[in-house]
Amino acid sequence: MTVASPTTGPAGAPVEEARRRRTFAVISHPDAGKSTLTEALALHAEVISAAGAVHGKGGRKGVTSDWMDMERERGISVTSAVLQFAYRDHVINLLDTPGHGDFSEDTYRVLAAVDAAVMLLDAARGLEPQTLKLFDVCRARGVPVLTFVNKWDRPGREPLELVDEVEQRIGLRPMPITWPVGIAGDFHGLVERADGTMRRFTRAAHGASRAAEEILDADRAAAEEGVDWERATEELELLGEIGADFDPVDFHAGTATPVMFGAALSNIGVARLLDALVELAPPPAPRPSAAGAERPIDAPFSGLVFKVQASMDKSHRDRVAFVRVCSGRFERGMVLTHDATGRPFATKYAQAMFGRDRSTIDEAFPGDIVGLVNANALRPGDTLWAEKPVTFPTIPSFAPEHFSVARVADASKTKQFRKGIEQLDSEGVIQVLSSDLRGDQAPVLAAVGPLQFEVVAARLADEFSAPIKLERLDYTLARRTDAAGVEALKGAIGIEVLTRRADGELLALFPHKWRLQAVAQNQPNLLLEPLIAEGSGQ
């Protein structure tokens, strides 16, 4: 597939070009339909000709954004992907994120690179644990959230119940933009609150193409839809009485959320969501630096590395750093400064991404995502800049809760094993811990969830021809400590202190919270600092 870059064209001023950008992620609990929605949005933007379902129903291929073999085999997203395309004179940068909780850290990094998020809810399940966790990240980062209630073509809950849950559980005032005609599972169409018209849809076979749309005025809708229209209008009147009208200030401030309904698998309501993102979501804004000052949009180029991925295409076997352009104009070939090392970084091989597919990109502007190929020196959280120095806040690592010792299955593959571990660590796929006692041949892998171990094992076998054996350890939580902590905990039963290779942090591992509590009580001056995003059980 040839990817046309929407950012290639006459040179424009960064501020003007930034106004055209909409950079957002889709967040959800597993199986809410996130990757299906991602593909449906691309279909409605006419950048793909037929949508694929995650489970390949009807002979359709896997979704464009799910490019890893494991993703296609299991029907889940285990890594984030970028889809960039033009729509209505705007440039859309859509970041598909893993829905599975085991890959929360990857999603957390992506949310450092977006200006808005679509929170996807299952009509039958509403707000679910992973959605709540990711929403908390959006709130902490000040990312405005649009809500899309998916799967309205299947049995589910009442629409008023769902919007009330959003307000009661996460404190966002719901502002419905569309409203369903017909209960979940008996979906007749959508009312556009702004003008009172109804859009009725005819599904395409298997949802592989856009659903045909017919617009009805209120009188015709009332005559043809009867009691379903009457119920919908009564619910809309109630929403008006309680002040659920759209307010852009509240939306951008993160205190309210536009709400839309639809069915991504049938491509219903998806076009309206795409229009809403263009019309309502904020464009790129000045980005705060680590020092607290804002980097203006028209300042010289700066960018944040939020993801590093190798072997996206087996024919390339290269390494791509995904960079969010934060200010200025990016031009392929420009020499940047890698802020972490102060060394120059050449950008000869710069690409636009569309899932696994890629094309050379000559320029990019704030909000765009640039793939820098063979970026071996870059890690997630790194800053790149030109002319005027800046350092953006780093992206912290999540607290690991699962630990395993990795050993190469075939001793003759030790060199490949070490190289693979080093690469996966630098990508942020897994946290790698080590100590003098364990040595390089048996590093400890630390993960947020156990599926990360499967990804590591699969990639080491596939990309480095180094199958591994994993030995699970009994630790369940980690605490940051210091040199004094290393000495104090030396020889302690059931506790081990290891060094995290990525940043040199000393992590004390504990089998359970009771052991941690006992140590903390006996040695109150010992540094045992929590890590971010820990499970509620810790």
Side-chain angles (χ1 to χ4, degrees):
M1 171 180 174
T2 300
V3 185
S5 171
T7 60
T8 301
V15 173
E16 296 172 0
E17 290 294 333
R19 291 194 188 105
R20 299 175 53 226
R21 265 60 181 177
R22 297 295 183 270
T23 304
F24 66 96
V26 181
I27 62 173
S28 75
H29 196 78
D31 298 325
K34 179 181 51 58
S35 290
T36 304
L37 175 64
T38 298
E39 189 116 317
L41 289 166
L43 174 70
H44 281 271
E46 299 182 349
V47 290
I48 59 174
S49 58
V54 173
H55 297 293
K57 294 180 180 178
R60 294 156 60 188
K61 64 182 181 180
V63 295
T64 301
S65 55
D66 286 343
W67 54 268
M68 284 181 63
D69 290 341
M70 180 181 291
E71 293 177 309
R72 294 177 180 274
E73 290 167 4
R74 294 194 178 195
I76 60 171
S77 298
V78 301
T79 185
S80 51
V82 176
L83 304 180
Q84 185 186 62
F85 51 86
Y87 180 73
R88 282 181 48 185
D89 195 38
H90 285 71
V91 176
I92 306 297
N93 294 292
L94 195 171
L95 281 65
D96 184 31
T97 62
H100 201 289
D102 286 9
F103 305 100
S104 299
E105 196 165 17
D106 203 32
T107 302
Y108 186 85
R109 297 188 191 110
V110 167
L111 292 176
V114 301
D115 302 308
V118 174
M119 181 170 68
L120 187 64
L121 305 184
D122 186 312
R125 298 174 182 173
L127 286 168
E128 298 178 86
Q130 180 68 1
T131 314
L132 292 168
K133 184 176 182 180
L134 294 174
F135 170 74
D136 285 341
V137 175
C138 291
R139 170 169 280 165
R141 291 192 171 278
V143 176
V145 172
L146 296 90
T147 300
F148 186 80
V149 181
N150 193 27
K151 302 184 182 180
W152 204 257
D153 53 348
R154 304 180 188 181
R157 295 159 62 182
E158 294 289 334
L160 286 175
E161 180 188 357
L162 288 164
V163 296
D164 183 63
E165 181 183 38
V166 169
E167 183 164 28
Q168 296 302 318
R169 295 190 66 184
I170 61 177
L172 282 184
R173 181 172 64 85
M175 305 180 295
I177 304 296
T178 63
W179 197 255
V181 178
I183 62 172
D186 187 23
F187 193 12
H188 294 206
L190 294 168
V191 183
E192 182 70 33
R193 284 192 73 198
D195 59 17
T197 59
M198 174 182 170
R199 283 168 170 75
R200 194 159 58 191
F201 303 89
T202 302
R203 300 169 179 79
H206 306 298
S209 60
R210 297 180 60 165
E213 183 177 311
E214 179 185 13
I215 300 178
L216 288 67
D217 61 28
D219 292 338
R220 182 182 169 194
E224 296 184 10
E225 298 299 333
V227 66
D228 291 309
W229 176 260
E230 183 178 347
R231 182 190 300 111
T233 54
E234 288 176 353
E235 291 169 339
L236 288 173
E237 289 175 4
L238 177 60
L239 290 169
E241 292 173 1
I242 63 175
D245 297 331
F246 178 72
D247 184 328
V249 175
D250 288 350
F251 168 47
H252 290 173
T255 61
T257 178
V259 180
M260 284 152 278
F261 292 77
L265 191 60
S266 301
N267 295 305
I268 295 175
V270 175
R272 185 64 186 93
L273 173 60
L274 191 55
D275 287 335
L277 285 162
V278 167
E279 296 161 5
L280 308 179
R287 190 177 191 91
S289 70
E294 291 189 334
R295 180 81 164 187
I297 291 292
D298 58 355
F301 172 84
S302 65
L304 175 71
V305 179
F306 67 93
K307 175 182 175 62
V308 176
Q309 181 71 59
S311 302
M312 291 181 66
D313 188 333
K314 292 182 179 180
S315 64
H316 289 280
R317 293 291 187 187
D318 52 17
R319 176 182 165 109
V320 179
F322 291 78
V323 180
R324 152 74 189 237
V325 180
C326 300
S327 67
R329 179 186 177 203
F330 172 85
E331 296 180 79
R332 183 169 62 89
M334 68 191 310
V335 178
L336 305 173
T337 297
H338 180 206
D339 188 66
T341 62
R343 295 174 180 171
F345 184 89
T347 62
K348 180 180 180 181
Y349 302 105
Q351 299 182 332
M353 299 293 174
F354 192 83
R356 173 198 298 253
D357 301 305
R358 54 177 81 176
S359 65
T360 297
I361 187 172
D362 293 318
E363 64 177 2
F365 296 93
D368 286 337
I369 309 299
V370 176
L372 298 179
V373 183
N374 294 331
N376 296 326
L378 301 183
R379 300 181 64 96
D382 283 355
T383 299
L384 295 170
W385 51 264
E387 300 179 36
K388 186 177 180 180
V390 65
T391 304
F392 293 119
T394 58
I395 305 174
S397 298
F398 265 31
E401 301 176 14
H402 303 268
F403 303 85
S404 290
V405 177
R407 294 182 176 86
V408 67
D410 181 350
S412 68
K413 302 290 186 178
T414 298
K415 183 177 180 179
Q416 294 92 321
F417 168 72
R418 288 179 175 173
K419 181 180 179 181
I421 289 292
E422 180 181 352
Q423 177 170 299
L424 298 181
D425 182 28
S426 66
E427 290 179 29
V429 174
I430 199 85
Q431 295 180 43
V432 181
L433 314 180
S434 59
S435 67
D436 292 339
L437 180 63
R438 290 189 178 274
D440 291 340
Q441 295 185 355
V444 173
L445 306 184
V448 176
L451 275 180
Q452 287 180 263
F453 296 132
E454 294 188 36
V455 171
V456 168
R459 290 192 59 186
L460 286 172
D462 182 50
E463 299 171 25
F464 298 92
S465 301
I468 62 171
K469 296 178 181 178
L470 289 170
E471 176 191 347
R472 296 296 297 269
L473 300 176
D474 292 332
Y475 307 122
T476 64
L477 70 165
R479 287 291 185 269
R480 185 180 293 107
T481 191
D482 55 15
V486 174
E487 289 301 315
L489 296 172
K490 189 176 294 183
I493 298 174
I495 301 172
E496 187 172 359
V497 180
L498 300 172
T499 302
R500 185 161 60 190
R501 291 187 186 178
D503 54 13
E505 290 282 7
L506 295 168
L507 301 185
L509 310 187
F510 296 85
H512 43 69
K513 63 182 179 181
W514 298 282
R515 186 73 176 98
L516 169 63
Q517 290 169 356
V519 171
Q521 289 172 0
N522 292 331
Q523 303 184 66
N525 295 325
L526 200 63
L527 177 63
L528 295 172
E529 187 177 287
L531 306 174
I532 69 164
E534 295 189 321
S536 58
Q538 298 180 13

